[in-house]
Amino acid sequence: SEPDEGGNSDSDGDGEGTSEEAAEGGELVIANQSDVVSMDPAGSNDTPSSNVQANIFETLVTLDENMELQPGLATEWEAVEDNVWEFKLRDDVTFHDGSEFNAEVVKANIERILDEDVASQRYFLYEMVEDIEVVDDYTVRFTTEYPFAPFPAHIAHNGGGMTSLEVIEADYEAMENGEEPGSYINENPIGTGFFKFDSWNSGSEVRLVKNEDYWGEPAHLDSVVFKVVSEANTRVAELETGDSHIIDPLGPSNMAQVENSEGIHVAPQESVSVSYIGFNVEKEPFDDPNVRQAINMAIDKSQIIDGIYEGVGIPAVGPLAPAVYGYDEDAPGLEYDLEEAKQLLADAGYEDGFSTTLWTNDTQERIDAATNVQAQLQELNIDVEVEVLEWGTYLERTAQGDHDMFVLGWSTVTGDADYGLYPLFHSENIGEPGNRSFLQDEELDEMLEAARREGDEETRLQLYSDIQTELTELAPMLYLHHQEFLLGVNDNVQGLTQSPTGILQLHDVSLNQ
Amino acid sequence: MNNQKVLLKVDDLKQYFPIKGGFFGRTVNHVKAVDDISFEVYEGETLSIVGESGCGKSTTGRAVLRLDEPTDGKVEFDGTNILELNKKEMNKFRKDMQIIFQDPYASINPRHTVRQILTEAMEIQNAVPKHERNDRVKELMETVGLGAHQIDRHPHEFSGGQRQRIGIARALSVDPKLIIADEAVSALDVSIQAQVINLLKKLQREFKLTYLFISHDLGVVRHISDRIIVMYLGKVVEIADKKSLFTNNMHPYTKALLSAIPSTDLEAKKERITLKGDVPSPIDPPEGCRFHTRCPFATDICRTKVPELRNTEGMKDGHRAACHHMEAIRSGEHQPTVNA
Amino acid sequence: MIQFIIRRILQTIPVLIGVSILVFSMMHLVPGDPAQVIAGEGAPQEQIENIRERLGLNDPLPTQYLNYVTSAVQGDLGTSMRSGRDVSAEIGARFWVTVELAIYSTILAVFLGLIAGIISATRKYTAIDTTIMIVALFGLSMPNFWLGLMLIQWFAIGIDLPSWVPFFNNTAWFSPSGWGSFSQIVLPVITLGTGSAAIIARMTRSSMLDVIGSDYIRTARAKGVKEQIVIYRHALKNALIPIVTVVGLQFGGLLGGAVLTESVFAVNGMGKLIIDSIQARDFPVVQGTVLVASLLFILVNLIVDVAYRFLNKRIDLD
Amino acid sequence: MTGAPNPSYDNILEIKNLQTSFFTKDLEVKAVDGVSFNIPKGKVLGVVGESGSGKSITSLSVLRLIEEPGKIKGGEILFKGENLLDKSEAQMRKIRGNEISMIFQEPMTSLNPTFTVGQQISESFRIHEGLGKKEAKKKSIEMLKLVGIPSPEKRINQYPFELSGGMRQRVMIAIALACNPELLIADEPTTALDVTIQAQILDLMKELQEKLDMGILLITHDLGVVAETCDYVAVMYCGKVVEFTDKKTLFTEPKHPYTVGLMQSVPQHDQDVDGDLAVIRGSVPSPADMPQGCRFAPRCPFATDLCRNKLPDLETDEEGNQIRCWIYSDEWDGDPEVNVHEQSKSTS
Amino acid sequence: MSRSNEHIEKPEIAVKQPNPRLKSWKSVFNKLKKNKSAVVGGILIILLIIIALIGPYLTPYDPLYDQDVTNKLATPSSDHWFGTDNFGRDIFSRVIQGTGLTLMIGFFSILLGATAGVFLGIIAGYYGKRIDSIIMRFMDILLAFPSILLALTIVTVLGGSMVNVVIAVAVSSVPIFARIVRGSTLSVKKLEYIDAMRALGASDSRIIFKHILPNITSPIIVQATLSIATAILSAAGLSFLGLGAQPPTPEWGAMLSDGRNYLYNAPHVALFPGLAIVVAVLAFNMLGDGLRDAFDPKTRE
Ligand SMILES: Nc1ncnc2c1ncn2[C@@H]1O[C@H](COP(=O)(O)OP(=O)(O)OP(=O)(O)O)[C@@H](O)[C@H]1O
Ligand SMILES: Nc1ncnc2c1ncn2[C@@H]1O[C@H](COP(=O)(O)OP(=O)(O)OP(=O)(O)O)[C@@H](O)[C@H]1O
Ligand SMILES: [Mg+2]
Ligand SMILES: [Mg+2]
């Protein structure tokens, strides 16, 4: 095939040169770091894919920029029983292929995610679902194994994007013929969203066009191009030259450059993620909570935020970012206090410090954070050796518990505290699934379980508040900071918002010329 | 003479070089550089090969040493067929068979000094004990008439004749039994040439050295040889002891060759037999007698039948020539054709 | 020669088998489980298990290898574990981009390198020789990402110079990313070509110096041949063997190793694909790309070997 | 033949006191040390002499092809009356291969291994006569035929390594003769050739010489060739000309003891000589230890103190022959009746 | 050995000669000494070695742990000659500290790679035929093999030590040297003086190492001196796999690539380590040029 087909030249023309007066129409060009992995909502679990899919596929419920649940394809929802959630659906929605949206479709979509043969990457979202019942054409009920309070938040996740039933059937058919699951949907992503799939040039760009027949108010833009520009500096160049309107993400070190240039600006957005340094609590000396606390108190987090992130982002007190449902701003943290830290370490019998290793993968920010922590821990006579591991290796070996300390991050994509805590700290999730500190604390386990089952909001919030206090005490991690997303945006772009999970909201975006 | 020991015996030696042509370099033809020749060299004698340029003299020399693997044939040295030896065994034999190359400059490593070149030769065959090598190098240098002051020079600092002498010294350095001298003295001025020839003869007397001497200079050949082979276009046309060849030669080509020798005698204007006709090439050698295209005596039989090397009446033992008409030519019955 | 080429083509079979076994075993030797990478953090054990099952990762290794080879022999390189897309399609889209990039850069590098090297050789140890060497070494010591970003800064974003500077006051001539149009091709080609040009220049210089003192160069001069022709025809052809070798190596290297340049200029080539898929432990894609790269290498080296023959008829390859 | 010519512009080449040296690590090798001779228009000058005496370097100096670390230190090289040492490189280029051409001594290394012999011959036609590819090729084939190479149409596409030594030498000759030079420098052009081809080549050279009035500088060891081809002969020893005579004098009454020794060393082809060849005793002095006086003195059977201490000049006798030897000067302090021929023979 | 030769008298002078081998090395050394380029290169290398040895004791700041975020990305000044990096570490101190390590990685990986590559290439070129095919196809595999995967395997099997990064870089440079050497060997082995050595009965190893190798040194020298730069860069490129210098070790290549984020607002972060690499490579190249000349018998001493 020809390498130079595709929309590069288009974007050259439209991206910059159009001088139409109206705020209507036009093509928006977004430069992303990575390519979409898959167009199948069930077949990917990465932000670039979600970012594109969010425009094609819609979920029953949506999260707004304040992480509040809003109606989507469902108009209302409630827990009809402890463990049964009922959703009322819109009846005026059709897919891009003209087929109808109804309860059957919802059932088929979620069941597909749960299908072992499909082995969906979104399985974790709905693993608790036991049964899906089509009550009538526009009513659907989900029965969960156990009462699961954050269920609507999970339904709001992009993984729950609705695909046309015909496409799903075609995909199953293809599977029968030996194709990989998702291979059909990948080529024919048919959703109900305000944009329709137009083309995907793998590794290079995805193009979406306006869905004129959208059930709600149609988008302003005629089309959107997501193109892959993996090098941060080049993305800035794209923005500067006007080849792209939005660059996502913008590196902190490039902020100054964007701010100093005319016609473009930086758009920050608080996130639901945390970066942390985990301890292997099964290994000496980290099996001693005093040591863990001491390290927590020995680190001046502002150094990391200033040194690496140019001051962008907020120091983390606990694992939950402020935007996450369940975050308690009053929960106690471990303040920076070197003296206290030394004391604690002495109590633990390590007044002369010790030697240990700190693992990180090859993300520059993480390496830098590790280096900084290493330097700061010199104060406690802790001799840290930083070791960089390649991603695949890193995941496997931290899952096996070969590490002492490790740098990683977590994003609470559902916006609910359950997803921000349960995978990371519950003993059931030790190792591979997410609990790489190997923390096993029965009390904590119970609290986590109780919190996810609790139907009552008040009680639930209280439970999470307790958990956060408990986590401060246990200190299985050194919480570093809550990242702030940075976008570089052309001044002509109007109405752009970004959700704390990192998804760009393009429905209301228009291009000023 | 003939009851001497045979040191080197060459049987039906053939050397064909492929000619590549066309874009992909397929073999389109062969140069039949040496085409089925046989001869013997007795221990302690000098056998010279003379002949037209390009007739396969050097190729014969190289093939005998297996520098190019011969296409076919047998080469026996001291009773061993060396073509059957493996590399290691062959290398042992090489001490006894040396070659002085025709092109002196190309055949010495430009990065080595004379000292290195000579020492190395001795080192390879372990011909001289280590501590004596230095003296031996000097001795050799003197032997071939190079000054000791030149011992650490590189080849490019020498004149053509001086380089040739380096090559000779190298060949002598390992005390071989057989030396193939490919135009070994032709680049030397006559006074050095005389020195070297005297030396070669002396060595031969003392150590029963054997020479296969390839040369164009028939004066030198006459001086040094015991027997002489005349080659023409990859074939032996005449083989004889020196005396017979110079005085009683049978083959028309030999006659032509001898008549072409330039003479320093300004008075004696002798008849030179000028060869006419197409000079054939070893790529498509003529049928029959290879010399027929230029032979003033050629008849039909010459064009069709390959003459054999043979001895006839009036020829000494061991003198053989390959001509259909040699008796007739000798008796004067057969006269050169006018329009040949 | 034809036999030689045929033989070389036949040799690719064991090479490909060797490569595939090597890649296969190495990919399995290094830690990192594709299922885990695909599932991401926080995925329940069950999900990872499902993925493993689907990808056939639970089969014994020889079975996995055989399965792979069986379908590969039928021309099916499998599907990407990560995206489920067809590996041949994934490679195909990028293949020509990479080849084009490599070809253009090599042409540029050969052009610059030969000229600079010859000038250096003929003006040995003059100021110009030293300058060329230093420039070459800068070109070589400068990582591609750095040069690339500099070029983008200067010639895509453009630098503002005072308006009296003619021609150069707006230097935003080229496009910073993508592949296709002329304005997109220029910068990556320069970026990639520079390093190779430096190597070729230095190699040309030394190789020419080896040849220039030869007797046959003297012969050419004695014929009254112009000095330029002596150098560019008589000397160069003899000096070309090591140069051709490095050109081949550089070209080959570009086919597999242009990752940094590709990502700086957002060129969607094979280099990035290889790295990404190694990191994602996407076995079929890694296998496929390495196989294709090997094939290309063998081809390039075959051409280089044939070129040897053309340059020096004494070299016999058969 | 009336003696050597007087210097005039009748001389196609006139070399005056040429000095060429190589500056090696510890000393200066005076390869050519004040050589003078001339070649009248349309005549053949033979240069013979000790190997290493500077014959090749002299001829390379004429073409100004001396390479580092060699240098032409002084003297004049008048070609058609104009000093070549004053010419620019571009002017030299026009002269090389066109007006003066040279056959090099070492045919293997002097031919470019990467071009076919055809390409190498055609090149001369193309640069100096501006011929097109096809014509040049045709003429190259003619040239090869002229120098007696069989099936030239095939040979033209072969590479030097595929040819025998003699063929390579003939290719060199073909290149040199290609553009009908006015002066041909032939450095041992026939050493690798058998006598029949040699005769053919010499005939060819003579023929061209007569036709084009070409001058030839023929360096050779073969006195037979000298006898058959040359008009004049210069004998060189240790970077100097020791004798310059017309051919006849050389062969009938050589004067310099070195020349005499040389003549006597020639092996005869028309008679059997038993025993060793006559040689000149001793060997060439090293450049580090050049004798003060006559260079040949250490090896000369007649040398006296005068010879050993003072370098004789090159004297011209009434017939125009030149000789560098004290014996023939008034200052001679040895036996006045010395017979160079008899004496030297007895020393062998 | 008594083959004397009364016929030719001994020349009067016989210069006494020292050990020949010593002599030829001496001559190479003499030529080197007279070669400006080689001298400059040699001095630079000695200087770098001195810096590597004693530099770390003289650095004005602690190159590893002396972080000062308040003074990050400071431009060069009298306090910080090369400025500071994003953690406020003194770049000058870091460059000094990194000298030894960087040079060692560059030098030894090329030494190792070149040795193996030259050996394989010369064997392949000299013997030709099947041996050539086997070796060269193997080299093809190595060439086509992604170096990242190779490096990953090395970390897995051998661990991420300094020695192993040298091995990883060396392995990927082996086929390059092999190909270059083979190409030149193919043409040199056809020269007549190689025939002459065969005629003398020289063993293959002697022909290969004493006669072919010295005649193909110049491409090897060029490739080796140039590869030092690429070796430094690719070693840095592997540090993210955990192979080689780990943070905060100031290896020049790694520092250079760390600087990429600040190319716009603090170019000095990348500039100085980059210049250091250039200087080192320049030194090796100048020495290489000198060596080339010194081994060439035709250049004047
Ligand atoms: N590059 C060089 N460096 C040092 N000395 C040299 C160099 N080239 C030639 N010579 C010396 O110059 C002298 C003259 O050499 P020249 O080649 O002219 O000799 P020649 O008379 O042609 O001898 P021959 O008949 O053997 O070819 C020789 O003694 C030689 O050693
Ligand atoms: N490597 C080769 N490839 C092709 N042909 C060759 C090769 N070597 C020699 N020949 C051919 O073989 C024939 C004989 O060559 P050879 O060198 O033996 O001649 P020669 O008798 O030594 O001649 P000369 O007296 O001129 O040296 C020639 O026609 C030559 O072209
Ligand atoms: Mg020959
Ligand atoms: Mg000479």
Side-chain angles (χ1 to χ4, degrees), chain B residues 307-338:
Chain B
E308 270 176 37
L309 270 177
R310 59 198 171 93
N311 181 296
T312 62
E313 220 176 302
M315 289 163 83
K316 253 172 105 177
D317 244 12
H319 181 176
R320 285 172 299 156
C323 175
H324 294 299
H325 300 303
M326 53 191 188
E327 295 89 352
I329 296 171
R330 200 154 104 119
S331 64
E333 267 168 55
H334 190 65
Q335 288 296 318
T337 19
V338 194

Side-chain angles (χ1 to χ4, degrees), chain B residues 54 56-59 102 182-183 214 216, chain D residues 164-166 192:
Chain B
K57 304 182 295 296
S58 303
T59 306
Q102 183 170 11
D182 192 353
E183 310 275 0
I214 301 170
H216 290 306
Chain D
S164 78

Side-chain angles (χ1 to χ4, degrees), chain A residues 128-354:
Chain A
M128 70 300 286
V129 174
E130 222 173 32
D131 182 50
I132 306 167
E133 182 191 349
V134 177
V135 179
D136 61 37
D137 266 6
Y138 298 103
T139 313
V140 64
R141 270 192 196 166
F142 297 89
T143 313
T144 55
E145 270 174 52
Y146 42 85
F148 191 66
F151 190 72
H154 282 226
I155 280 290
H157 188 276
N158 291 103
M162 290 296 138
T163 312
S164 146
L165 187 58
E166 285 172 24
V167 179
I168 289 180
E169 277 163 2
D171 198 69
Y172 270 112
E173 213 163 286
M175 277 170 70
E176 304 257 290
N177 296 332
E179 297 289 325
E180 290 294 311
S183 58
Y184 185 81
I185 302 183
N186 222 351
E187 311 276 310
N188 306 281
I190 303 295
T192 59
F194 40 92
F195 283 115
K196 295 195 292 197
F197 174 77
D198 180 56
S199 65
W200 179 20
N201 188 353
S202 167
S204 176
E205 63 175 29
V206 176
R207 189 165 184 275
L208 307 182
V209 294
K210 182 175 177 174
N211 176 11
E212 302 286 358
D213 306 323
Y214 186 56
W215 55 268
E217 193 183 318
H220 300 300
L221 296 164
D222 287 337
S223 55
V224 193
V225 171
F226 295 84
K227 71 174 176 189
V228 185
V229 182
S230 48
E231 168 65 36
N233 293 289
T234 312
R235 283 199 298 280
V236 176
E238 283 273 302
L239 191 64
E240 295 230 26
T241 56
D243 286 316
S244 298
H245 300 107
I246 300 172
I247 61 172
D248 177 19
L250 170 71
S253 53
N254 293 120
M255 265 196 328
Q257 189 179 357
V258 172
E259 272 163 2
N260 294 339
S261 301
E262 270 180 40
I264 54 182
H265 64 270
V266 179
Q269 167 63 49
E270 238 181 71
S271 78
V272 286
S273 59
V274 64
S275 65
Y276 62 87
I277 288 180
F279 307 110
N280 186 344
V281 304
E282 288 189 336
K283 271 198 187 168
E284 269 192 73
F286 303 110
D287 52 354
D288 184 339
N290 281 336
V291 174
R292 308 199 295 256
Q293 285 175 6
I295 293 178
N296 258 296
M297 296 171 104
I299 300 300
D300 174 11
K301 294 166 189 169
S302 67
Q303 274 195 30
I304 295 175
I305 295 175
D306 289 346
I308 306 165
Y309 300 101
E310 307 292 315
V312 176
I314 50 175
V317 175
L320 294 182
V324 176
Y325 177 84
Y327 169 77
D328 179 7
E329 59 182 349
D330 300 324
L334 297 165
E335 296 288 313
Y336 174 60
D337 185 345
L338 211 52
E339 286 317 306
E340 177 70 23
K342 282 182 179 154
Q343 187 55 50
L344 279 168
L345 211 55
D347 292 350
Y350 293 102
E351 51 272 276
D352 297 332
F354 53 88

Side-chain angles (χ1 to χ4, degrees), chain A residues 401-444:
Chain A
D402 294 343
H403 55 288
D404 295 332
M405 293 198 275
F406 66 104
V407 192
L408 213 58
W410 184 255
S411 180
T412 310
V413 284
T414 58
D416 188 282
D418 176 65
Y419 189 66
L421 298 173
Y422 198 87
L424 289 185
F425 303 111
H426 196 282
S427 60
E428 177 185 301
N429 291 330
I430 272 186
E432 217 164 26
N435 183 351
R436 285 162 207 256
S437 0
F438 290 77
L439 184 69
Q440 275 178 294
D441 188 280
E442 275 180 33
E443 197 185 335
L444 183 69

Side-chain angles (χ1 to χ4, degrees), chain A residues 14-216:
Chain A
D14 300 46
E16 196 179 19
T18 45
S19 51
E20 277 148 49
E21 66 300 335
E24 210 66 9
E27 179 167 82
L28 182 77
V29 182
I30 303 172
N32 281 110
Q33 182 167 20
S34 327
D35 191 23
V36 172
V37 169
S38 169
M39 285 293 169
D40 176 5
S44 61
N45 190 25
D46 58 306
T47 316
S49 300
S50 299
N51 236 329
V52 172
Q53 289 167 15
N55 300 291
I56 303 173
F57 306 105
E58 290 176 299
T59 47
L60 302 188
V61 184
T62 61
L63 279 173
D64 66 9
E65 60 267 32
N66 303 318
M67 300 308 278
E68 310 264 313
L69 291 169
Q70 302 293 342
L73 291 177
T75 47
E76 47 191 85
W77 58 93
E78 61 175 330
V80 289
E81 269 169 58
D82 250 9
N83 64 341
V84 179
W85 284 89
E86 185 182 271
F87 291 78
K88 292 258 181 249
L89 308 180
R90 299 189 73 94
D91 57 1
D92 55 350
V93 180
T94 51
F95 282 94
H96 300 154
D97 62 357
S99 67
E100 210 187 308
F101 169 73
N102 54 31
E104 284 297 344
V105 177
V106 175
K107 180 174 153 78
N109 267 287
I110 305 298
E111 274 178 348
R112 178 164 178 267
I113 290 177
L114 294 173
D115 186 343
E116 267 175 34
D117 293 339
V118 175
S120 164
Q121 273 114 292
R122 308 287 206 194
Y123 178 83
F124 71 94
L125 286 171
Y126 308 113
E127 57 167 334
M128 70 300 286
V129 174
E130 222 173 32
D131 182 50
I132 306 167
E133 182 191 349
V134 177
V135 179
D136 61 37
D137 266 6
Y138 298 103
T139 313
V140 64
R141 270 192 196 166
F142 297 89
T143 313
T144 55
E145 270 174 52
Y146 42 85
F148 191 66
F151 190 72
H154 282 226
I155 280 290
H157 188 276
N158 291 103
M162 290 296 138
T163 312
S164 146
L165 187 58
E166 285 172 24
V167 179
I168 289 180
E169 277 163 2
D171 198 69
Y172 270 112
E173 213 163 286
M175 277 170 70
E176 304 257 290
N177 296 332
E179 297 289 325
E180 290 294 311
S183 58
Y184 185 81
I185 302 183
N186 222 351
E187 311 276 310
N188 306 281
I190 303 295
T192 59
F194 40 92
F195 283 115
K196 295 195 292 197
F197 174 77
D198 180 56
S199 65
W200 179 20
N201 188 353
S202 167
S204 176
E205 63 175 29
V206 176
R207 189 165 184 275
L208 307 182
V209 294
K210 182 175 177 174
N211 176 11
E212 302 286 358
D213 306 323
Y214 186 56
W215 55 268

Side-chain angles (χ1 to χ4, degrees), chain B residues 20 23-26 62 105 111 163, chain C residues 1-2 5 210 215 309-310 316 318:
Chain B
K20 313 237 163 127
F23 180 76
F24 287 112
R26 268 174 315 118
R62 291 174 60 87
Y105 192 30
R111 288 182 189 258
R163 288 171 194 162
Chain C
M1 179 80 78
I2 280 197
I5 292 174
D210 281 351
D215 281 359
R309 257 292 298 197
F310 270 84
D316 50 7
D318 332 69

